[in-house]
Amino acid sequence: MHSLYGHFVRVGLLTLAVAAGVYGCGSSLSTTSTSTSTTATHGTNAPGAGRPAVTLGTKNFTEQLILGQLYTQALRATGFKVTLKSDIGASEVVDRKLADRQIDGYPEYTGTILSVLARQSARPASEAEAYARAAAFERGRGRALLAKSPATDTGVVVARPGYASQHHLRSLGDLASLGSSATLAGPAEFRTRFSGMLGLRQAYGVTRLGFLPVKIGTQYRALADGRAQLATVFTTDGNLSQGGFTLLADPKNIFGFQNITFVVRDGVLAREGPAFARTIDAVSSKLSTQAMRVMNAAVDLDQQTPAAVARQFLGANGIS
């Protein structure tokens, strides 16, 4: 990438991190699934010292890899022994790993819990309602939902400005006028979710739009080479920080409220003690939509590693 923009990302990351109101669905990073662990080197007085080891997981895109590093590094700095299993897969896959006790917790999104895992069709009216309902659903399964962050990572459909202008595209409802002449690129699960093709059809009457399943993060390539005219991405996608795309409004809110939160399986909080949740919540409280967008850009556009980006953010916020 252009060195000047890379400099902006590096400087911008730290600037946003230390701002009083630190500024968050992430873009993709092609990576091999990894599992890393370490034994905390802090003194025996550290809050997590002596507690049983924990295993965290993440889903399969850049933002999740960054979040996994943020929570893992913060916990290790507090004395906890943590194994991180990154890039596991979509929500349904990670949720199954949690149910099978292969992981102890993972970062998730309130709206995804409701629409994908709980399969609820009733749309919440606010962020607070989305969180309360998601927490109740997880509680009913013997799990805990930790605090939600200010960062919200929701879906958005984008088009190139020229195409959007030519076809008068301003909101998702305008897609109905395209008929079968257009194709939307997105991850395979977008086809079967209400926060996807089902919602476009049921809420907006978009019935003939073509769909091209692609790996998360390659939507922009599909737009560039003409295989698709539209793409579904995340509002915290680092690529959006450069401009050059028209974001279509979602007045009927099919993508829902998607605040970042953290799901912990039964028994973990009692086993690890109050410092475990307190540490995770401290990280979540520092996240914002813009901060996640900048961190995602630092990885996807500036080629920094998720671990390095997380380390910078935590250090700038005094959580390291």
Side-chain angles (χ1 to χ4, degrees), residues 1-236:
M1 75 179 289
H2 193 284
S3 59
L4 179 61
Y5 183 75
H7 175 73
F8 164 77
V9 170
R10 287 188 291 271
V11 174
L13 172 61
L14 296 181
T15 300
L16 293 176
V18 298
V22 184
Y23 310 110
C25 250
S27 47
S28 172
L29 175 67
S30 177
T31 183
T32 302
S33 181
T34 60
S35 175
T36 57
S37 64
T38 187
T39 299
T41 57
H42 303 273
T44 56
N45 292 329
R51 296 288 182 175
V54 294
T55 300
L56 307 185
T58 78
K59 295 194 279 185
N60 57 344
F61 50 89
T62 294
E63 180 166 291
Q64 282 276 308
L65 304 185
I66 294 170
L67 289 171
Q69 286 291 335
L70 286 169
Y71 293 120
T72 295
Q73 291 183 31
L75 286 168
R76 288 173 178 169
T78 317
F80 290 95
K81 293 183 291 186
V82 184
T83 294
L84 175 62
K85 295 184 177 180
S86 296
D87 198 16
I88 294 174
S91 291
E92 298 91 333
V93 179
V94 185
D95 182 69
R96 174 49 55 188
K97 297 289 185 183
L98 192 66
D100 292 342
R101 308 176 81 83
Q102 295 183 42
I103 61 174
D104 296 307
Y106 76 102
E108 187 52 279
Y109 307 90
T110 53
T112 299
I113 292 172
L114 295 178
S115 64
V116 177
L117 302 180
R119 297 183 180 180
Q120 296 181 12
S121 58
R123 317 310 293 168
S126 66
E127 288 185 357
E129 182 185 345
Y131 174 79
R133 284 169 49 183
F137 170 72
E138 293 294 0
R139 192 162 52 246
R141 300 199 291 171
R143 302 173 181 178
L145 197 63
L146 301 186
K148 68 179 178 66
S149 76
T152 179
D153 177 9
T154 190
V156 63
V157 173
V158 303
R160 290 186 175 279
Y163 184 84
S165 176
Q166 177 185 356
H167 295 279
H168 310 289
L169 302 179
R170 297 180 181 85
S171 75
L172 296 181
D174 298 328
L175 298 179
S177 65
L178 294 177
S180 58
S181 64
T183 297
L184 185 151
E189 59 266 25
F190 190 82
R191 187 198 300 272
T192 57
R193 291 179 174 177
F194 184 85
S195 55
M197 298 299 286
L198 293 184
L200 286 176
R201 182 171 68 246
Q202 295 174 21
Y204 291 105
V206 180
T207 59
R208 294 185 293 165
L209 185 66
F211 180 70
L212 174 68
V214 296
K215 184 175 181 179
I216 293 177
T218 64
Q219 297 98 314
Y220 297 97
R221 191 181 310 157
L223 289 176
D225 63 21
R227 287 180 296 140
Q229 294 71 46
L230 305 153
T232 175
V233 299
F234 300 121
T235 52
T236 56

